[in-house]
């Protein structure tokens, strides 16, 4: 009767009679509706389905088309004076078209309910995977169910991840061709936080209204992705970029701000720091658009090779490490300089002597020939890697941002490759089987704990037949704690089939080193009495490395001779320009040619880059630290081989995975997503090179945030070289001018721009 309370009429007999008839008709309609409901679906299931649909729709970002459709439907309902029976019982499915909820007949009602449930499940199960695209999704899914390690994932939006997944090209770097079926299966894998995802995207797949799209059911990920893309493109428009106002970052770390490592808000929410989660990446949900201040008294960095031995104190004004480690010849304060005698905890008398000591311990290491690319764990101020350049070896050095104040920053200011990272709860951002040697000199990593999980991560990134050099007190001291650790390490290394090649003592430095070698076959794994640590499951992709949790399992060695890792690379420098043996003509390269030909074409493309950039205003004597922000095969870095520089090759996580090729040719690099900040200190690089990067990024990220990151990591006086389409170059140029950079080369129509960063900083400070 409440349905008619708004009518202002007296209670006459005819009115009562009419009311009775209408009520009777309404009850009959309601009874027919109940009888024609799907008998397979229980009332509870119907309620759940409608409630889920309502939640998915009401809490999501609704597009303009949806809003207009919803408003039109609501208007029609009001005009006809009809009431949705579901609303009476509280199972309102949200603003859906009439034909999606009414029951004309039994068959149509059943079909509509099935579609409702399918749409609801699809909407609720679309979660972001936070991975290195297809390779990683299955690994995270597996780890989430079995791993004891809790990962604090970076905050990323579903629509951004979906956009990345759609852009990924298929390129298998493991040898033996691509795996399209496996990749497609991986794309359907949900994140570990998803529930009931098996029903996602099932049911009929009609086209969108208007025939503009042939995509299946539209989900909130699809719809939100399009709206996010529209807003991102709008925010990147020239009108908005030109009037942008910059502010100084309001952070406690000041001139040393690393956004993804100094996210205090995220760090306070960590449930545990047992596995060094507080040293891992926790990127802000909204990338910073502020500018990092410059230290007072900052000067143009000293040029290489003098910078290896001394840097300006005011460029990295930190004295604590000199006070704590000065007696070990790490670093000393000498007037206006910080000086580096070349020592370390295990090589007080200099890194060169120690490097030769390691070579004498195992001659097959063959620095600069067989061994070219190494990983230095817990690198300190980078002296080991800095002096390895004299042996034609490049070292990817890393250490956490911890109480050893500014150690990685010292290394970078000296012109030595290094990043801030930690052996914690996640895989290192490198492919499997790429490092010729891994080195740890008193790196303070508890290799023997957690089932050897951290040592197993080294096993993942170490080439079959590669060496692990461990120089630490358990190798040569007899203290009770050292003896116990040595016993556990001996048991662990035997269980993962590492051969103890030698133990050698250094009389000058009074230290010792143990040299282990990784097996080149699976024979030892198969003959173990105990399957501890266990072999990794077949679906565990060892190449997946972007925010992937660690697992205490052992990856098998490749047995197919055509597979990457089955053979040792060519000796250096022959490996630089020769296509890897595991690239074959059945694979299509990045530029559309068979992979080996594509590799050669990339080399040809960059062979004249030194002269080209010289003509664009680059003075090579001022350049030491270089980053290729979107490396493909590493051809840009290879072309600079004869210069006294090093190049950090970045392979974007939404690009074809060519990073193993870069390592195979004796270069190094890392996975990264430029919608997030990089794990390096401010004022790190002399030259940034971005080849067709920003046009791809601006569909997912705000260019303002990307350019703020570029400004953060490049040194005052450093150069940015951008190659891209003209519209993007115009937007980049607009932002660079707002940052008071000097445009030293602008050929927009020819697709190239070069700019130089100055020392300008805004006066205003951003709100915290």
């Amino acid at each position: 009767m409440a349905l008619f309370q708004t009518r202002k009429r007296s209670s006459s007999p005819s009115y009562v009679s009419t009311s009775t008839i209408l009520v009777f008709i309404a009850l009959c309609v309601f009874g027919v509706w109940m009888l024609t409901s799907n008998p397979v679906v229980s009332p509870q299931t119907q309620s759940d389905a409608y409630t889920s649909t309502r939640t998915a729709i009401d809490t999501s970002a609704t597009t303009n088309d949806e809003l207009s459709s919803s408003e039109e439907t609501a208007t029609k309902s009001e005009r006809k004076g009809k009431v949705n029976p579901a609303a009476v019982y509280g199972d309102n499915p949200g603003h859906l078209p009439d034909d999606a909820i009414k029951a004309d007949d039994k068959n149509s009602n059943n079909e509509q309910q099935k579609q409702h449930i399918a749409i609801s499940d699809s909407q609720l199960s679309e979660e972001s995977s936070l991975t290195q695209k297809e390779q990683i999704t299955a690994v995270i899914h597996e780890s989430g169910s079995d791993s004891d390690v809790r990962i604090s994932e970076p905050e990323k939006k579903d629509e951004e991840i979906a956009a990345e997944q759609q852009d990924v090209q298929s390129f298998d770097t493991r040898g033996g061709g691509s795996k399209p079926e496996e990749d497609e299966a991986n794309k359907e894998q949900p994140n570990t936080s998803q529930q009931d995802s098996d029903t996602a995207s099932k049911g009929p797949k009609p086209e969108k209204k208007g025939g503009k799209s042939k995509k299946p059911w539209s989900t909130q990920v699809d719809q939100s992705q399009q709206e996010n893309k529209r807003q991102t493109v709008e925010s990147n428009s020239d009108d908005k970029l030109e009037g942008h106002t910059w502010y100084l970052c309001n952070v406690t770390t000041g001139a040393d701000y690393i956004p993804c490592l100094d996210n205090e808000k995220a760090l306070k929410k960590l449930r545990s720091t047992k596995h060094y989660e507080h040293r891992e990446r926790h990127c802000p949900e909204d990338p910073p658009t502020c500018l990092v201040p410059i230290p007072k008294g900052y000067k143009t960095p000293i040029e290489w090779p003098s910078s290896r031995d001394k840097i300006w104190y005011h460029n990295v004004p930190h004295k604590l490490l000199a006070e704590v480690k000065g007696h070990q010849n790490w670093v000393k304060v000498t007037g206006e300089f910080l000086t580096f005698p070349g020592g370390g905890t295990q090589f007080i008398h200099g890194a060169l002597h120690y490097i030769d000591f390691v070579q004498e311990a195992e001659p097959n290491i063959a620095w600069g020939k067989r061994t070219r690319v190494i990983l230095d764990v817990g690198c300190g101020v980078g002296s080991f890697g800095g002096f390895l350049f004299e042996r034609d070896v490049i070292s990817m050095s890393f250490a956490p941002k911890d109480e050893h104040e500014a150690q990685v920053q010292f290394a970078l200011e000296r012109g030595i490759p290094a990043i801030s990272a930690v052996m914690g709860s996640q895989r290192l951002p490198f492919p499997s089987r790429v490092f010729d040697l891994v080195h740890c000199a008193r790196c303070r990593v508890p290799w023997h704990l957690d089932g050897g999980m951290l040592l197993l991560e080294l096993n993942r990134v170490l080439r079959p037949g590669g060496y692990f050099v461990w120089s630490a007190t358990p190798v040569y001291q007899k203290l009770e704690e050292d003896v116990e650790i040595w016993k556990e390490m001996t048991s662990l290394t035997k269980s993962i089939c590492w051969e103890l090649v030698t133990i050698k003592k250094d009389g000058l430095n009074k230290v010792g080193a143990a040299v282990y070698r990784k097996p080149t076959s699976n024979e030892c794994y198969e003959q173990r009495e105990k399957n501890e640590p266990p072999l990794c499951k077949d679906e565990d992709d060892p190449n997946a490395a972007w925010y992937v949790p660690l697992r205490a399992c052992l990856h098998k060695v490749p047995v197919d001779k055509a597979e990457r890792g089955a053979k040792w690379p060519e000796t250096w420098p022959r490996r630089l320009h020769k296509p890897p043996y595991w690239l074959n003509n059945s694979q299509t390269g990045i530029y559309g040619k068979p992979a080996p030909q594509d590799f050669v074409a990339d080399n040809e493309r960059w062979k004249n880059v030194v002269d080209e950039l010289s003509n664009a205003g680059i003075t090579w004597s001022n350049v030491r630290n270089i980053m290729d922000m979107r490396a493909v095969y590493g051809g840009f870095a290879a072309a600079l081989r004869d210069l006294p520089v090093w190049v950090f090759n970045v392979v974007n996580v939404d690009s074809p995975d060519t990073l193993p090729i870069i390592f195979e040719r004796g270069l190094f690099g890392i996975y990264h997503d430029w919608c997030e900040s990089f794990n390096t200190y401010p004022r790190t690089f002399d030259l940034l090179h971005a080849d067709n990067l920003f046009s791809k990024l601006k569909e997912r990220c705000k260019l303002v945030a990307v350019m703020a990151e570029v400004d953060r990591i490049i040194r005052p006086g450093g150069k940015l070289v951008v190659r891209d389409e003209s519209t993007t170059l115009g937007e980049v140029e607009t932002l660079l001018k707002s940052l008071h950079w000097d445009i030293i080369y602008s050929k927009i129509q020819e697709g190239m721009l070069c700019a130089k960063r100055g020392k300008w900083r805004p006066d205003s400070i951003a709100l915290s």
Side-chain angles (χ1 to χ4, degrees):
M1 296 300 293
L3 182 65
F4 302 99
Q5 286 178 355
T6 57
R7 297 180 180 268
K8 298 180 180 179
R9 295 183 59 177
S10 62
S11 181
S12 65
S14 62
Y15 172 69
V16 172
S17 176
T18 302
S19 301
T20 303
I21 293 172
L22 290 175
V23 169
F24 179 76
I25 293 173
L27 290 173
C28 290
V29 171
F30 179 74
V32 171
W33 177 80
M34 291 293 292
L35 290 173
T36 57
S37 298
N38 187 352
V40 179
V41 184
S42 67
Q44 180 63 38
T45 305
Q46 292 177 354
S47 176
D48 291 345
Y50 281 124
T51 304
S52 299
T53 307
R54 182 183 64 212
T55 303
I57 293 176
D58 291 347
T59 59
S60 63
T62 310
T63 62
N64 293 334
D65 291 340
E66 291 175 309
L67 286 172
S68 61
S69 175
S70 300
E71 290 170 0
E72 182 180 347
T73 303
T75 303
K76 289 181 180 178
S77 298
E78 292 173 3
R79 193 162 53 238
K80 294 180 181 180
K82 293 183 179 180
V83 176
N84 182 355
V88 178
Y89 292 92
D91 289 332
N92 180 13
H95 303 296
L96 295 179
D98 288 343
D99 60 358
I101 57 175
K102 70 182 180 180
D104 293 332
D105 55 70
K106 183 175 181 179
N107 292 336
S108 64
N109 185 72
N110 290 347
E111 190 64 23
Q112 294 294 345
Q113 288 192 25
K114 290 178 182 178
Q115 292 181 10
H116 265 308
I117 296 172
I119 294 172
S120 173
D121 290 340
S122 176
Q123 288 170 333
L124 292 176
S125 65
E126 291 288 346
E127 302 272 347
S128 60
S129 58
L130 302 177
T131 66
Q132 190 189 322
K133 309 310 166 258
E134 298 102 335
Q135 292 182 353
I136 298 174
T137 311
V139 179
I140 285 191
H141 180 69
E142 184 67 28
S143 299
S145 59
D146 297 334
S147 177
D148 293 328
V149 179
R150 176 177 177 84
I151 304 302
S152 179
E153 296 175 338
E155 303 168 7
K156 221 175 184 189
K157 299 178 182 178
D158 291 351
E159 55 267 27
E160 294 175 354
I161 300 301
E164 293 170 1
Q165 290 175 332
Q166 290 179 1
D167 291 339
V168 175
Q169 303 176 44
S170 176
F171 192 87
D172 184 12
T173 57
R174 288 163 285 191
S178 60
K179 299 181 180 179
E181 295 85 4
E182 180 178 313
D183 289 345
E184 287 300 316
N186 286 342
K187 287 181 181 179
E188 296 297 321
Q189 293 277 357
N191 189 288
T192 55
S193 63
Q194 291 175 303
Q195 297 178 359
D196 301 329
S197 59
D198 292 338
T199 59
S201 302
K202 290 182 181 178
K205 298 182 179 180
E207 294 183 5
K208 283 187 177 180
K209 292 182 179 181
K212 294 182 179 179
S213 173
K214 295 183 180 179
K215 291 184 179 181
W217 285 111
S218 175
T219 66
Q220 284 300 310
V221 170
D222 297 327
Q223 296 162 353
S224 300
Q225 171 193 332
Q226 294 301 321
E227 176 61 15
N228 183 69
K229 181 177 179 180
R230 183 193 66 77
Q231 293 182 10
T232 302
V233 170
E234 183 181 82
S235 69
N236 290 333
S237 65
D238 282 331
D239 292 340
K240 290 184 176 292
L241 298 179
E242 192 165 358
H244 185 76
T245 301
W246 298 98
Y247 297 93
L248 286 175
C249 295
N250 186 4
V251 291
T252 58
T253 46
D256 298 334
Y257 181 43
I258 305 177
C260 291
L261 298 182
D262 296 323
N263 186 355
E264 296 178 355
K265 181 180 178 181
L267 294 178
K268 290 178 181 178
K269 296 180 180 179
L270 292 177
R271 296 184 179 181
S272 171
T273 58
K274 177 183 177 182
H275 296 98
Y276 301 93
E277 290 88 347
H278 57 304
R279 306 299 186 195
E280 294 179 325
R281 291 174 61 84
H282 303 281
C283 298
E285 183 176 358
D286 294 319
T289 57
C290 58
L291 304 182
V292 177
I294 300 173
K296 186 177 180 180
Y298 182 89
K299 298 182 180 181
T300 300
I302 296 171
E303 295 178 4
W304 182 268
S306 299
S307 62
R308 187 181 64 183
D309 302 324
K310 66 178 181 179
I311 62 175
W312 297 112
Y313 167 75
H314 288 291
N315 287 13
V316 191
H318 298 291
K319 294 182 179 180
L320 180 60
L321 200 58
E323 296 170 1
V324 175
K325 293 291 187 179
H327 67 287
Q328 295 176 346
N329 287 332
W330 280 40
V331 57
K332 298 178 182 293
V333 179
T334 309
E336 60 181 345
F337 299 103
L338 289 166
T339 57
F340 301 87
T345 304
Q346 296 297 95
F347 41 92
I348 296 175
H349 297 286
L352 272 181
H353 168 81
Y354 176 78
I355 290 168
D356 292 338
F357 156 73
V358 172
Q359 172 81 61
E360 293 169 3
E362 173 49 44
N364 287 331
I365 287 176
W367 295 125
K369 294 182 175 60
R370 184 183 187 273
T371 299
R372 163 64 181 174
V373 186
I374 79 160
L375 181 68
D376 188 16
V377 183
C379 63
V381 295
S383 291
F384 181 67
F387 282 90
L388 274 172
F389 280 110
E390 294 193 14
R391 300 292 184 263
D392 225 355
V393 174
I394 55 175
S395 171
M396 174 66 74
S397 303
F398 76 92
K401 190 178 184 184
D402 61 7
E403 64 273 12
H404 281 172
E405 183 186 39
Q407 54 184 335
V408 169
Q409 192 174 16
F410 285 141
L412 291 164
E413 184 70 15
R414 297 172 68 188
I416 300 169
I419 58 170
S420 290
V422 68
M423 299 288 297
S425 66
Q426 298 176 354
R427 287 180 178 177
L428 296 171
F430 310 115
S432 67
R433 309 185 299 269
V434 291
F435 289 102
D436 305 332
L437 180 146
V438 178
H439 173 254
C440 162
R442 291 282 288 275
C443 57
R444 302 191 305 162
V445 176
W447 303 115
H448 58 291
L449 299 182
D450 296 310
M453 188 164 59
L454 299 181
L455 195 67
L456 288 165
E457 172 61 1
L458 293 191
N459 185 76
R460 181 184 72 86
V461 300
L462 184 62
R463 290 187 187 278
Y467 292 99
F468 174 55
V469 178
W470 187 38
S471 178
T473 54
V475 176
Y476 57 90
Q477 287 188 359
K478 300 301 180 183
L479 299 177
E480 182 177 353
E481 181 183 10
D482 291 325
V483 171
E484 185 62 29
I485 292 175
W486 174 255
K487 187 182 299 183
E488 293 190 41
M489 275 291 284
T490 299
S491 175
L492 176 61
T493 52
K494 285 183 178 179
S495 70
I496 65 175
C497 299
W498 281 12
E499 174 193 0
L500 177 57
V501 178
T502 186
I503 299 176
K504 188 174 177 64
K505 293 186 177 180
D506 178 8
L508 179 62
N509 288 308
K510 293 182 172 52
V511 299
V515 180
Y516 299 89
R517 187 171 182 262
K518 180 179 175 177
T520 56
S521 73
N522 296 311
E523 183 179 356
C524 175
Y525 300 154
E526 296 164 354
Q527 294 177 353
R528 294 184 302 168
E529 293 182 1
K530 294 183 179 179
N531 189 33
E532 294 180 3
L535 293 175
C536 298
K537 296 181 179 179
D538 291 340
E539 58 266 28
D540 188 325
D541 186 347
N543 295 307
W546 186 243
Y547 292 118
V548 174
L550 290 178
R551 299 286 307 280
C553 67
L554 193 62
H555 289 99
K556 288 184 177 180
V557 172
V559 293
D560 185 347
K561 294 302 180 182
E563 188 175 357
R564 180 175 68 82
K567 300 178 184 177
W568 197 263
E570 296 279 344
T571 57
W572 179 262
R574 286 201 300 269
R575 64 195 280 187
L576 181 63
H577 294 295
K578 186 174 181 179
Y581 68 88
W582 40 269
L583 286 184
N584 58 70
N585 289 322
S586 66
Q587 295 170 294
T588 301
I590 306 305
Y591 305 117
K593 301 177 181 179
Q597 298 177 31
D598 228 38
F599 178 93
V600 174
D602 187 66
N603 270 347
E604 188 69 19
R605 178 190 179 192
W606 298 111
K607 69 177 184 179
N608 296 320
V609 71
V610 174
D611 293 337
E612 180 189 18
L613 294 185
S614 296
N615 295 332
I618 303 298
T619 303
W620 292 106
S621 61
N622 299 332
V623 176
R624 171 62 181 173
N625 302 355
I626 303 176
M627 175 182 282
D628 191 357
M629 299 177 69
R630 183 181 170 268
V632 179
Y633 297 119
F636 175 79
L640 304 180
R641 182 219 163 185
D642 294 330
L643 296 177
V645 301
W646 59 271
V647 181
F648 211 145
N649 295 282
V650 176
V651 170
N652 292 261
V653 294
D654 62 342
S655 297
D657 186 10
T658 56
L659 191 52
I661 297 175
I662 291 171
F663 275 94
E664 192 81 4
R665 54 192 309 188
L667 307 171
F668 60 21
I670 196 170
Y671 294 120
H672 186 60
D673 182 357
W674 283 112
C675 289
E676 301 177 3
S677 292
F678 195 78
N679 271 21
T680 193
Y681 280 87
R683 304 169 302 281
T684 292
F685 292 95
D686 301 302
L687 176 64
L688 297 181
H689 180 254
D691 179 33
N692 289 288
L693 171 67
F694 296 115
S695 58
K696 300 179 184 299
L697 279 180
K698 70 179 186 178
E699 296 181 356
R700 301 190 295 116
C701 324
K702 293 181 179 179
L703 273 183
V704 170
V706 177
M707 296 310 298
E709 176 66 2
V710 167
D711 184 89
R712 185 184 75 86
I713 68 177
I714 202 167
R715 291 169 168 173
K719 311 285 177 48
L720 169 68
V721 176
V722 184
R723 305 170 193 271
D724 225 309
E725 47 88 18
S726 58
T727 302
T728 300
L729 285 178
E731 294 167 351
V732 170
E733 184 174 22
T734 298
L735 281 172
L736 291 174
K737 288 179 178 178
S738 73
L739 288 164
H740 297 254
W741 284 40
D742 294 329
I743 308 299
I744 60 177
Y745 184 90
S746 181
K747 299 288 186 181
I748 301 297
Q749 298 306 317
E750 297 177 14
M752 185 170 166
L753 176 72
C754 183
K756 176 182 177 181
R757 180 193 160 178
K759 291 185 178 181
W760 176 82
R761 296 291 86 175
D763 296 325
S764 301
I765 300 176
L767 297 175
S768 58

